[in-house]
Amino acid sequence: MDYLQLWQELEPAHWARAAFSMAVVALLVPLTLPLARRWGLLDIPGGRKDHASPIPVTGGAVILFAVVAGFFIFEPNWNLRVATFLVGALGLVVVGQLDDKYDLRWTWRIGAQALAALALYFLAGVQASNLQDVFGFTGANIGLLALPFTVFVVVGIINALNMADGVDGLAGSLALVSLMLFTCFALYAGDMNLAVRLLSLAAAVVGFLIWNSRLPWQPRARVFLGNGGSMLLGFIIAWAALRLTQNPAHPVSPVLAPYTLALPLIDCVVLMVRRYRRGASPFKADRNHMHHLLLDAGYRPFMVVLLMAGGSLVLGIAAAVAVKTGVYRPVLVGCFFMLLGSWYLFTRNRDVAVARLRRLRGGGEAPQAALRAAQEAGER
């Protein structure tokens, strides 16, 4: 079945729920900005943070409000799975907002993420246990390893997106790409209920991006996701990935999941490995992320978002087409690791990597031009 035809199965009520989510976020974000300033929920410039003035970090809280309101209005009869998902999302946003305000130790963030993953596993029955055809044969159940692997998947996806939240509109755009791909996969799998929920979540992200992106009438973001928001979106993507790829009744291969968020996942793994080899904490912030290298090579913030979100979209579509046309699944797994290894080698020497990216851009601008692009990014 053609993916375009699948979208025709959505009814007006489904689109109404998506429009509701987008409108709620788009309308509430500017109303919450004075509250954020009053409560000190701001991202303060300094250190690696080069944005010009303190920016509210309440975008994630507004998205969560729209999600909860949508469930109350359109799905008032909750089951344990939905309740677990919403409580886990609320807990992550609360911890993230506290981290934004008080700069908590990274162990608190990881602990909250692990607890949310455990809740999905034990209460919602959402877990990574069936790898299906990842290794070339069906029904590969990992048994007792399912619990630690589920926690690994949830924590990994959350932190990959969190680490990508460094340029206006970037994390939200990456999340939007992933959610839209999963919406297509859900439609293809015949899970209309999940598809409508994911479409509604994607619409909420669009409402946020209206205020978080650089637009002709908006030179800089007016609100950030905050750590609570990036953890929320990572949690939603992890939930969608597990719900769709771990049900034997759904024809969605687990190999597709990492391709929907390919570039931030690759960047996250490479950085953590490199930090570990240096003897540093894997969660220690630095300026070696993919978006930092692009900025230092002179790419403007809008182009960084376009390249990274567009790259993840292309890789996600390519993987979906490959699966649909019968490509041997382990080949796709191998391709993903080849991409990971290639980026590791490409960034082995930071200065050389930046110089190569600058040449790919077709420019030989002086370092001052690259510095200007980085300063314009409003990094955080």
Side-chain angles (χ1 to χ4, degrees), residues 144-318:
L144 295 177
L145 294 177
L147 176 57
F149 190 62
T150 300
V151 174
F152 172 78
V153 168
V154 174
V155 173
I157 292 176
I158 290 174
N159 282 280
L161 194 62
N162 180 264
M163 289 182 178
D165 189 18
V167 177
D168 293 347
L170 180 56
S173 296
L174 290 168
L176 179 62
V177 165
S178 183
L179 289 170
M180 291 306 295
L181 287 170
F182 277 123
T183 301
C184 290
F185 300 160
L187 287 170
Y188 180 74
D191 193 335
M192 181 59 68
N193 191 35
L194 181 58
V196 172
R197 290 173 178 173
L198 291 173
L199 180 64
S200 174
L201 292 165
V205 175
V206 172
F208 163 75
L209 286 172
I210 292 172
W211 301 102
N212 180 246
S213 301
R214 299 193 173 201
L215 301 167
W217 59 89
Q218 183 173 267
R220 292 182 182 274
R222 293 188 59 188
V223 66
F224 292 161
L225 275 172
N227 284 327
S230 59
M231 289 202 295
L232 169 66
L233 294 183
F235 180 66
I236 290 171
I237 292 170
W239 167 74
L242 294 174
R243 287 278 286 113
L244 271 173
T245 66
Q246 296 302 302
N247 187 341
H250 290 165
V252 180
S253 173
V255 301
L256 288 178
Y259 276 98
T260 70
L261 206 62
L263 296 187
L265 283 173
I266 289 169
D267 188 40
C268 176
V269 172
V270 166
L271 276 179
M272 285 191 163
V273 170
R274 189 158 279 139
R275 290 167 183 170
Y276 177 79
R277 292 192 62 185
R278 291 202 312 263
S281 166
F283 301 97
K284 180 178 174 60
D286 56 33
R287 277 190 49 83
N288 295 318
H289 289 283
M290 190 179 294
H291 57 269
H292 288 138
L293 302 186
L294 289 168
L295 290 169
D296 288 352
Y299 291 81
R300 299 299 181 188
F302 174 79
M303 186 57 65
V304 173
V305 174
L306 187 63
L307 286 172
M308 292 189 65
S312 284
L313 178 62
V314 169
L315 288 171
I317 293 175

Side-chain angles (χ1 to χ4, degrees), residues 36-58 97 99-103 223-224 226-227 378-380:
R37 295 187 178 94
R38 182 182 302 173
W39 296 336
L41 294 173
L42 302 169
D43 194 286
I44 308 297
R48 297 180 305 110
K49 303 177 181 182
D50 296 330
H51 43 281
S53 60
I55 303 294
V57 289
T58 48
Q97 296 279 232
D99 184 41
D100 289 322
K101 185 173 177 63
Y102 299 109
D103 194 19
V223 66
F224 292 161
N227 284 327
E379 295 172 47
R380 47 202 180 280

